[in-house]
PDB file of all heavy atoms in Angstrom:
ATOM      1  N   ASP A   1      58.345 -46.221  56.631  1.00  0.00           N
ATOM      2  CA  ASP A   1      58.209 -44.804  56.971  1.00  0.00           C
ATOM      3  C   ASP A   1      56.750 -44.422  57.193  1.00  0.00           C
ATOM      4  O   ASP A   1      56.427 -43.669  58.128  1.00  0.00           O
ATOM      5  CB  ASP A   1      58.795 -43.933  55.856  1.00  0.00           C
ATOM      6  CG  ASP A   1      60.321 -43.960  55.833  1.00  0.00           C
ATOM      7  OD1 ASP A   1      60.925 -44.390  56.836  1.00  0.00           O
ATOM      8  OD2 ASP A   1      60.897 -43.548  54.805  1.00  0.00           O
ATOM      9  N   SER A   2      55.856 -44.935  56.352  1.00  0.00           N
ATOM     10  CA  SER A   2      54.443 -44.605  56.499  1.00  0.00           C
ATOM     11  C   SER A   2      53.868 -45.169  57.795  1.00  0.00           C
ATOM     12  O   SER A   2      53.108 -44.500  58.502  1.00  0.00           O
ATOM     13  CB  SER A   2      53.648 -45.133  55.294  1.00  0.00           C
ATOM     14  OG  SER A   2      53.959 -44.393  54.127  1.00  0.00           O
ATOM     15  N   LEU A   3      54.240 -46.406  58.120  1.00  0.00           N
ATOM     16  CA  LEU A   3      53.752 -46.993  59.366  1.00  0.00           C
ATOM     17  C   LEU A   3      54.329 -46.271  60.574  1.00  0.00           C
ATOM     18  O   LEU A   3      53.651 -46.108  61.599  1.00  0.00           O
ATOM     19  CB  LEU A   3      54.095 -48.478  59.426  1.00  0.00           C
ATOM     20  CG  LEU A   3      53.424 -49.390  58.392  1.00  0.00           C
ATOM     21  CD1 LEU A   3      53.653 -50.850  58.746  1.00  0.00           C
ATOM     22  CD2 LEU A   3      51.934 -49.114  58.273  1.00  0.00           C
ATOM     23  N   ARG A   4      55.570 -45.829  60.470  1.00  0.00           N
ATOM     24  CA  ARG A   4      56.184 -45.069  61.566  1.00  0.00           C
ATOM     25  C   ARG A   4      55.411 -43.770  61.802  1.00  0.00           C
ATOM     26  O   ARG A   4      55.163 -43.377  62.953  1.00  0.00           O
ATOM     27  CB  ARG A   4      57.649 -44.770  61.247  1.00  0.00           C
ATOM     28  CG  ARG A   4      58.373 -44.047  62.383  1.00  0.00           C
ATOM     29  CD  ARG A   4      59.811 -43.715  62.004  1.00  0.00           C
ATOM     30  NE  ARG A   4      60.635 -44.925  61.907  1.00  0.00           N
ATOM     31  CZ  ARG A   4      61.152 -45.390  60.784  1.00  0.00           C
ATOM     32  NH1 ARG A   4      60.917 -44.745  59.631  1.00  0.00           N
ATOM     33  NH2 ARG A   4      61.886 -46.478  60.782  1.00  0.00           N
ATOM     34  N   ALA A   5      55.018 -43.103  60.721  1.00  0.00           N
ATOM     35  CA  ALA A   5      54.245 -41.870  60.854  1.00  0.00           C
ATOM     36  C   ALA A   5      52.887 -42.146  61.499  1.00  0.00           C
ATOM     37  O   ALA A   5      52.459 -41.426  62.416  1.00  0.00           O
ATOM     38  CB  ALA A   5      54.057 -41.221  59.483  1.00  0.00           C
ATOM     39  N   LEU A   6      52.201 -43.193  61.046  1.00  0.00           N
ATOM     40  CA  LEU A   6      50.889 -43.528  61.618  1.00  0.00           C
ATOM     41  C   LEU A   6      51.014 -43.895  63.087  1.00  0.00           C
ATOM     42  O   LEU A   6      50.172 -43.521  63.916  1.00  0.00           O
ATOM     43  CB  LEU A   6      50.265 -44.679  60.830  1.00  0.00           C
ATOM     44  CG  LEU A   6      49.818 -44.358  59.400  1.00  0.00           C
ATOM     45  CD1 LEU A   6      49.440 -45.638  58.667  1.00  0.00           C
ATOM     46  CD2 LEU A   6      48.646 -43.385  59.409  1.00  0.00           C
ATOM     47  N   GLN A   7      52.068 -44.623  63.422  1.00  0.00           N
ATOM     48  CA  GLN A   7      52.285 -45.018  64.820  1.00  0.00           C
ATOM     49  C   GLN A   7      52.464 -43.785  65.715  1.00  0.00           C
ATOM     50  O   GLN A   7      52.028 -43.778  66.879  1.00  0.00           O
ATOM     51  CB  GLN A   7      53.527 -45.909  64.906  1.00  0.00           C
ATOM     52  CG  GLN A   7      53.802 -46.474  66.294  1.00  0.00           C
ATOM     53  CD  GLN A   7      55.092 -47.290  66.304  1.00  0.00           C
ATOM     54  OE1 GLN A   7      55.562 -47.741  65.261  1.00  0.00           O
ATOM     55  NE2 GLN A   7      55.660 -47.476  67.480  1.00  0.00           N
ATOM     56  N   ALA A   8      53.076 -42.738  65.152  1.00  0.00           N
ATOM     57  CA  ALA A   8      53.300 -41.504  65.919  1.00  0.00           C
ATOM     58  C   ALA A   8      52.101 -40.565  65.858  1.00  0.00           C
ATOM     59  O   ALA A   8      52.176 -39.438  66.371  1.00  0.00           O
ATOM     60  CB  ALA A   8      54.541 -40.798  65.395  1.00  0.00           C
ATOM     61  N   GLY A   9      51.025 -41.001  65.215  1.00  0.00           N
ATOM     62  CA  GLY A   9      49.832 -40.161  65.128  1.00  0.00           C
ATOM     63  C   GLY A   9      49.894 -39.135  64.014  1.00  0.00           C
ATOM     64  O   GLY A   9      49.097 -38.185  63.992  1.00  0.00           O
ATOM     65  N   ARG A  10      50.827 -39.310  63.083  1.00  0.00           N
ATOM     66  CA  ARG A  10      50.963 -38.377  61.975  1.00  0.00           C
ATOM     67  C   ARG A  10      50.443 -38.996  60.678  1.00  0.00           C
ATOM     68  O   ARG A  10      50.316 -40.208  60.556  1.00  0.00           O
ATOM     69  CB  ARG A  10      52.440 -37.995  61.786  1.00  0.00           C
ATOM     70  CG  ARG A  10      53.035 -37.244  62.969  1.00  0.00           C
ATOM     71  CD  ARG A  10      54.492 -36.868  62.724  1.00  0.00           C
ATOM     72  NE  ARG A  10      55.405 -38.016  62.901  1.00  0.00           N
ATOM     73  CZ  ARG A  10      56.026 -38.621  61.933  1.00  0.00           C
ATOM     74  NH1 ARG A  10      55.824 -38.240  60.663  1.00  0.00           N
ATOM     75  NH2 ARG A  10      56.837 -39.644  62.158  1.00  0.00           N
ATOM     76  N   SER A  11      50.167 -38.151  59.697  1.00  0.00           N
ATOM     77  CA  SER A  11      49.781 -38.627  58.374  1.00  0.00           C
ATOM     78  C   SER A  11      51.034 -39.061  57.612  1.00  0.00           C
ATOM     79  O   SER A  11      52.091 -38.435  57.740  1.00  0.00           O
ATOM     80  CB  SER A  11      49.075 -37.516  57.595  1.00  0.00           C
ATOM     81  OG  SER A  11      48.874 -37.911  56.237  1.00  0.00           O
ATOM     82  N   PRO A  12      50.946 -40.108  56.787  1.00  0.00           N
ATOM     83  CA  PRO A  12      52.107 -40.505  55.982  1.00  0.00           C
ATOM     84  C   PRO A  12      52.604 -39.411  55.047  1.00  0.00           C
ATOM     85  O   PRO A  12      53.765 -39.442  54.636  1.00  0.00           O
ATOM     86  CB  PRO A  12      51.581 -41.713  55.188  1.00  0.00           C
ATOM     87  CG  PRO A  12      50.475 -42.263  56.023  1.00  0.00           C
ATOM     88  CD  PRO A  12      49.833 -41.070  56.664  1.00  0.00           C
ATOM     89  N   VAL A  13      51.743 -38.448  54.705  1.00  0.00           N
ATOM     90  CA  VAL A  13      52.156 -37.402  53.766  1.00  0.00           C
ATOM     91  C   VAL A  13      52.790 -36.207  54.476  1.00  0.00           C
ATOM     92  O   VAL A  13      53.202 -35.246  53.816  1.00  0.00           O
ATOM     93  CB  VAL A  13      50.976 -36.917  52.897  1.00  0.00           C
ATOM     94  CG1 VAL A  13      50.436 -38.049  52.053  1.00  0.00           C
ATOM     95  CG2 VAL A  13      49.875 -36.311  53.756  1.00  0.00           C
ATOM     96  N   GLU A  14      52.883 -36.273  55.797  1.00  0.00           N
ATOM     97  CA  GLU A  14      53.505 -35.160  56.509  1.00  0.00           C
ATOM     98  C   GLU A  14      54.959 -35.018  56.069  1.00  0.00           C
ATOM     99  O   GLU A  14      55.705 -35.988  55.975  1.00  0.00           O
ATOM    100  CB  GLU A  14      53.443 -35.390  58.016  1.00  0.00           C
ATOM    101  CG  GLU A  14      53.862 -34.174  58.836  1.00  0.00           C
ATOM    102  CD  GLU A  14      53.505 -34.307  60.304  1.00  0.00           C
ATOM    103  OE1 GLU A  14      52.375 -34.775  60.584  1.00  0.00           O
ATOM    104  OE2 GLU A  14      54.336 -33.965  61.146  1.00  0.00           O
ATOM    105  N   GLY A  15      55.368 -33.775  55.785  1.00  0.00           N
ATOM    106  CA  GLY A  15      56.715 -33.514  55.300  1.00  0.00           C
ATOM    107  C   GLY A  15      56.813 -33.466  53.792  1.00  0.00           C
ATOM    108  O   GLY A  15      57.838 -33.039  53.249  1.00  0.00           O
ATOM    109  N   HIS A  16      55.759 -33.890  53.090  1.00  0.00           N
ATOM    110  CA  HIS A  16      55.732 -33.808  51.633  1.00  0.00           C
ATOM    111  C   HIS A  16      55.124 -32.474  51.206  1.00  0.00           C
ATOM    112  O   HIS A  16      54.199 -31.972  51.834  1.00  0.00           O
ATOM    113  CB  HIS A  16      54.931 -34.966  51.039  1.00  0.00           C
ATOM    114  CG  HIS A  16      55.641 -36.286  51.114  1.00  0.00           C
ATOM    115  ND1 HIS A  16      56.381 -36.796  50.082  1.00  0.00           N
ATOM    116  CD2 HIS A  16      55.733 -37.186  52.121  1.00  0.00           C
ATOM    117  CE1 HIS A  16      56.896 -37.961  50.436  1.00  0.00           C
ATOM    118  NE2 HIS A  16      56.511 -38.219  51.675  1.00  0.00           N
ATOM    119  N   ARG A  17      55.652 -31.945  50.123  1.00  0.00           N
ATOM    120  CA  ARG A  17      55.198 -30.644  49.645  1.00  0.00           C
ATOM    121  C   ARG A  17      53.929 -30.793  48.828  1.00  0.00           C
ATOM    122  O   ARG A  17      53.830 -31.665  47.956  1.00  0.00           O
ATOM    123  CB  ARG A  17      56.287 -29.998  48.790  1.00  0.00           C
ATOM    124  CG  ARG A  17      56.087 -28.515  48.561  1.00  0.00           C
ATOM    125  CD  ARG A  17      57.288 -27.938  47.839  1.00  0.00           C
ATOM    126  NE  ARG A  17      57.124 -28.007  46.393  1.00  0.00           N
ATOM    127  CZ  ARG A  17      58.108 -27.813  45.523  1.00  0.00           C
ATOM    128  NH1 ARG A  17      59.328 -27.596  45.970  1.00  0.00           N
ATOM    129  NH2 ARG A  17      57.886 -27.862  44.236  1.00  0.00           N
ATOM    130  N   PHE A  18      52.964 -29.933  49.106  1.00  0.00           N
ATOM    131  CA  PHE A  18      51.718 -29.922  48.344  1.00  0.00           C
ATOM    132  C   PHE A  18      51.767 -28.804  47.302  1.00  0.00           C
ATOM    133  O   PHE A  18      52.434 -27.789  47.483  1.00  0.00           O
ATOM    134  CB  PHE A  18      50.517 -29.720  49.271  1.00  0.00           C
ATOM    135  CG  PHE A  18      50.115 -30.949  50.023  1.00  0.00           C
ATOM    136  CD1 PHE A  18      50.838 -31.370  51.132  1.00  0.00           C
ATOM    137  CD2 PHE A  18      49.027 -31.707  49.626  1.00  0.00           C
ATOM    138  CE1 PHE A  18      50.486 -32.512  51.839  1.00  0.00           C
ATOM    139  CE2 PHE A  18      48.665 -32.848  50.323  1.00  0.00           C
ATOM    140  CZ  PHE A  18      49.394 -33.254  51.431  1.00  0.00           C
ATOM    141  N   GLY A  19      51.040 -29.007  46.216  1.00  0.00           N
ATOM    142  CA  GLY A  19      50.953 -28.001  45.170  1.00  0.00           C
ATOM    143  C   GLY A  19      49.608 -28.079  44.487  1.00  0.00           C
ATOM    144  O   GLY A  19      48.667 -28.713  44.987  1.00  0.00           O
ATOM    145  N   THR A  20      49.506 -27.448  43.320  1.00  0.00           N
ATOM    146  CA  THR A  20      48.257 -27.457  42.563  1.00  0.00           C
ATOM    147  C   THR A  20      48.535 -27.792  41.109  1.00  0.00           C
ATOM    148  O   THR A  20      49.652 -27.605  40.598  1.00  0.00           O
ATOM    149  CB  THR A  20      47.544 -26.096  42.640  1.00  0.00           C
ATOM    150  OG1 THR A  20      48.416 -25.082  42.116  1.00  0.00           O
ATOM    151  CG2 THR A  20      47.166 -25.757  44.073  1.00  0.00           C
ATOM    152  N   ALA A  21      47.514 -28.281  40.419  1.00  0.00           N
ATOM    153  CA  ALA A  21      47.579 -28.609  39.006  1.00  0.00           C
ATOM    154  C   ALA A  21      46.301 -28.114  38.344  1.00  0.00           C
ATOM    155  O   ALA A  21      45.312 -27.818  39.039  1.00  0.00           O
ATOM    156  CB  ALA A  21      47.753 -30.115  38.812  1.00  0.00           C
ATOM    157  N   PRO A  22      46.281 -28.013  37.019  1.00  0.00           N
ATOM    158  CA  PRO A  22      45.073 -27.530  36.337  1.00  0.00           C
ATOM    159  C   PRO A  22      43.833 -28.309  36.741  1.00  0.00           C
ATOM    160  O   PRO A  22      43.891 -29.495  37.068  1.00  0.00           O
ATOM    161  CB  PRO A  22      45.410 -27.756  34.853  1.00  0.00           C
ATOM    162  CG  PRO A  22      46.896 -27.661  34.789  1.00  0.00           C
ATOM    163  CD  PRO A  22      47.388 -28.274  36.074  1.00  0.00           C
ATOM    164  N   GLY A  23      42.710 -27.617  36.722  1.00  0.00           N
ATOM    165  CA  GLY A  23      41.447 -28.243  37.084  1.00  0.00           C
ATOM    166  C   GLY A  23      41.177 -28.236  38.571  1.00  0.00           C
ATOM    167  O   GLY A  23      40.320 -28.991  39.040  1.00  0.00           O
ATOM    168  N   GLY A  24      41.886 -27.399  39.333  1.00  0.00           N
ATOM    169  CA  GLY A  24      41.671 -27.327  40.772  1.00  0.00           C
ATOM    170  C   GLY A  24      42.172 -28.543  41.515  1.00  0.00           C
ATOM    171  O   GLY A  24      41.672 -28.860  42.599  1.00  0.00           O
ATOM    172  N   ARG A  25      43.159 -29.229  40.968  1.00  0.00           N
ATOM    173  CA  ARG A  25      43.681 -30.438  41.601  1.00  0.00           C
ATOM    174  C   ARG A  25      44.763 -30.106  42.627  1.00  0.00           C
ATOM    175  O   ARG A  25      45.589 -29.217  42.400  1.00  0.00           O
ATOM    176  CB  ARG A  25      44.255 -31.386  40.555  1.00  0.00           C
ATOM    177  CG  ARG A  25      43.222 -31.990  39.599  1.00  0.00           C
ATOM    178  CD  ARG A  25      43.925 -32.737  38.487  1.00  0.00           C
ATOM    179  NE  ARG A  25      43.005 -33.501  37.648  1.00  0.00           N
ATOM    180  CZ  ARG A  25      42.386 -33.006  36.581  1.00  0.00           C
ATOM    181  NH1 ARG A  25      42.578 -31.737  36.241  1.00  0.00           N
ATOM    182  NH2 ARG A  25      41.574 -33.756  35.866  1.00  0.00           N
ATOM    183  N   VAL A  26      44.778 -30.876  43.698  1.00  0.00           N
ATOM    184  CA  VAL A  26      45.856 -30.820  44.683  1.00  0.00           C
ATOM    185  C   VAL A  26      46.897 -31.854  44.292  1.00  0.00           C
ATOM    186  O   VAL A  26      46.553 -32.966  43.860  1.00  0.00           O
ATOM    187  CB  VAL A  26      45.301 -31.100  46.096  1.00  0.00           C
ATOM    188  CG1 VAL A  26      46.423 -31.399  47.088  1.00  0.00           C
ATOM    189  CG2 VAL A  26      44.484 -29.920  46.584  1.00  0.00           C
ATOM    190  N   THR A  27      48.182 -31.511  44.438  1.00  0.00           N
ATOM    191  CA  THR A  27      49.255 -32.442  44.128  1.00  0.00           C
ATOM    192  C   THR A  27      50.129 -32.687  45.354  1.00  0.00           C
ATOM    193  O   THR A  27      50.221 -31.832  46.239  1.00  0.00           O
ATOM    194  CB  THR A  27      50.143 -31.913  42.981  1.00  0.00           C
ATOM    195  OG1 THR A  27      50.817 -30.723  43.415  1.00  0.00           O
ATOM    196  CG2 THR A  27      49.312 -31.605  41.750  1.00  0.00           C
ATOM    197  N   VAL A  28      50.749 -33.862  45.387  1.00  0.00           N
ATOM    198  CA  VAL A  28      51.682 -34.221  46.450  1.00  0.00           C
ATOM    199  C   VAL A  28      53.027 -34.529  45.801  1.00  0.00           C
ATOM    200  O   VAL A  28      53.127 -35.420  44.947  1.00  0.00           O
ATOM    201  CB  VAL A  28      51.195 -35.452  47.246  1.00  0.00           C
ATOM    202  CG1 VAL A  28      52.150 -35.739  48.408  1.00  0.00           C
ATOM    203  CG2 VAL A  28      49.771 -35.265  47.740  1.00  0.00           C
ATOM    204  N   ARG A  29      54.079 -33.816  46.191  1.00  0.00           N
ATOM    205  CA  ARG A  29      55.418 -34.038  45.648  1.00  0.00           C
ATOM    206  C   ARG A  29      56.022 -35.265  46.348  1.00  0.00           C
ATOM    207  O   ARG A  29      56.244 -35.254  47.543  1.00  0.00           O
ATOM    208  CB  ARG A  29      56.272 -32.797  45.875  1.00  0.00           C
ATOM    209  CG  ARG A  29      57.742 -32.882  45.509  1.00  0.00           C
ATOM    210  CD  ARG A  29      58.001 -33.116  44.025  1.00  0.00           C
ATOM    211  NE  ARG A  29      57.391 -32.157  43.134  1.00  0.00           N
ATOM    212  CZ  ARG A  29      57.943 -31.019  42.709  1.00  0.00           C
ATOM    213  NH1 ARG A  29      59.158 -30.692  43.142  1.00  0.00           N
ATOM    214  NH2 ARG A  29      57.313 -30.229  41.860  1.00  0.00           N
ATOM    215  N   VAL A  30      56.277 -36.314  45.564  1.00  0.00           N
ATOM    216  CA  VAL A  30      56.837 -37.546  46.127  1.00  0.00           C
ATOM    217  C   VAL A  30      58.292 -37.764  45.717  1.00  0.00           C
ATOM    218  O   VAL A  30      58.939 -38.682  46.216  1.00  0.00           O
ATOM    219  CB  VAL A  30      55.978 -38.770  45.746  1.00  0.00           C
ATOM    220  CG1 VAL A  30      54.581 -38.652  46.324  1.00  0.00           C
ATOM    221  CG2 VAL A  30      55.900 -38.960  44.226  1.00  0.00           C
ATOM    222  N   LEU A  31      58.797 -36.934  44.805  1.00  0.00           N
ATOM    223  CA  LEU A  31      60.207 -36.970  44.424  1.00  0.00           C
ATOM    224  C   LEU A  31      60.608 -35.574  43.956  1.00  0.00           C
ATOM    225  O   LEU A  31      59.902 -34.996  43.127  1.00  0.00           O
ATOM    226  CB  LEU A  31      60.434 -37.971  43.293  1.00  0.00           C
ATOM    227  CG  LEU A  31      61.887 -38.121  42.820  1.00  0.00           C
ATOM    228  CD1 LEU A  31      62.667 -39.010  43.770  1.00  0.00           C
ATOM    229  CD2 LEU A  31      61.941 -38.679  41.402  1.00  0.00           C
ATOM    230  N   PRO A  32      61.720 -35.024  44.508  1.00  0.00           N
ATOM    231  CA  PRO A  32      62.544 -35.576  45.591  1.00  0.00           C
ATOM    232  C   PRO A  32      61.887 -35.354  46.942  1.00  0.00           C
ATOM    233  O   PRO A  32      61.090 -34.431  47.116  1.00  0.00           O
ATOM    234  CB  PRO A  32      63.838 -34.773  45.474  1.00  0.00           C
ATOM    235  CG  PRO A  32      63.386 -33.443  44.941  1.00  0.00           C
ATOM    236  CD  PRO A  32      62.256 -33.743  43.998  1.00  0.00           C
ATOM    237  N   HIS A  33      62.243 -36.209  47.886  1.00  0.00           N
ATOM    238  CA  HIS A  33      61.696 -36.087  49.233  1.00  0.00           C
ATOM    239  C   HIS A  33      62.788 -35.862  50.278  1.00  0.00           C
ATOM    240  O   HIS A  33      62.540 -35.299  51.326  1.00  0.00           O
ATOM    241  CB  HIS A  33      60.882 -37.324  49.588  1.00  0.00           C
ATOM    242  CG  HIS A  33      60.278 -37.273  50.961  1.00  0.00           C
ATOM    243  ND1 HIS A  33      59.452 -36.244  51.365  1.00  0.00           N
ATOM    244  CD2 HIS A  33      60.389 -38.121  52.029  1.00  0.00           C
ATOM    245  CE1 HIS A  33      59.072 -36.452  52.620  1.00  0.00           C
ATOM    246  NE2 HIS A  33      59.632 -37.575  53.045  1.00  0.00           N
ATOM    247  N   ASP A  34      63.996 -36.330  49.992  1.00  0.00           N
ATOM    248  CA  ASP A  34      65.092 -36.162  50.949  1.00  0.00           C
ATOM    249  C   ASP A  34      66.373 -35.856  50.174  1.00  0.00           C
ATOM    250  O   ASP A  34      66.400 -35.912  48.941  1.00  0.00           O
ATOM    251  CB  ASP A  34      65.250 -37.406  51.830  1.00  0.00           C
ATOM    252  CG  ASP A  34      65.455 -38.672  51.013  1.00  0.00           C
ATOM    253  OD1 ASP A  34      66.165 -38.606  49.978  1.00  0.00           O
ATOM    254  OD2 ASP A  34      64.929 -39.723  51.399  1.00  0.00           O
ATOM    255  N   PRO A  35      67.450 -35.491  50.876  1.00  0.00           N
ATOM    256  CA  PRO A  35      68.695 -35.126  50.182  1.00  0.00           C
ATOM    257  C   PRO A  35      69.243 -36.220  49.276  1.00  0.00           C
ATOM    258  O   PRO A  35      69.846 -35.927  48.238  1.00  0.00           O
ATOM    259  CB  PRO A  35      69.657 -34.829  51.340  1.00  0.00           C
ATOM    260  CG  PRO A  35      68.777 -34.430  52.484  1.00  0.00           C
ATOM    261  CD  PRO A  35      67.545 -35.261  52.340  1.00  0.00           C
ATOM    262  N   VAL A  36      69.044 -37.481  49.643  1.00  0.00           N
ATOM    263  CA  VAL A  36      69.550 -38.575  48.808  1.00  0.00           C
ATOM    264  C   VAL A  36      68.869 -38.571  47.450  1.00  0.00           C
ATOM    265  O   VAL A  36      69.502 -38.795  46.413  1.00  0.00           O
ATOM    266  CB  VAL A  36      69.370 -39.925  49.527  1.00  0.00           C
ATOM    267  CG1 VAL A  36      69.701 -41.075  48.585  1.00  0.00           C
ATOM    268  CG2 VAL A  36      70.242 -39.987  50.770  1.00  0.00           C
ATOM    269  N   ASP A  37      67.551 -38.316  47.417  1.00  0.00           N
ATOM    270  CA  ASP A  37      66.834 -38.238  46.147  1.00  0.00           C
ATOM    271  C   ASP A  37      67.471 -37.217  45.216  1.00  0.00           C
ATOM    272  O   ASP A  37      67.550 -37.413  43.997  1.00  0.00           O
ATOM    273  CB  ASP A  37      65.375 -37.849  46.378  1.00  0.00           C
ATOM    274  CG  ASP A  37      64.549 -38.955  47.014  1.00  0.00           C
ATOM    275  OD1 ASP A  37      64.980 -40.115  46.950  1.00  0.00           O
ATOM    276  OD2 ASP A  37      63.479 -38.650  47.574  1.00  0.00           O
TER     277      ASP A  37
END
């Protein structure tokens, strides 16, 4: 999936939800990512 995104000119994290955590941190939601999860 990550290589498919790069091949299409997209970032592997595209479609993943971003958030925040204490200390000014950025977070990336990696689960769940799709309906099967």
Side-chain angles (χ1 to χ4, degrees):
D1 287 344
S2 290
L3 295 191
R4 183 182 291 113
L6 291 170
Q7 184 183 339
R10 296 181 283 109
S11 171
V13 298
E14 189 167 317
H16 287 264
R17 196 174 90 193
F18 282 77
T20 59
R25 293 171 172 88
V26 166
T27 65
V28 184
R29 174 63 55 90
V30 297
L31 181 79
H33 180 56
D34 56 38
V36 172
D37 289 341

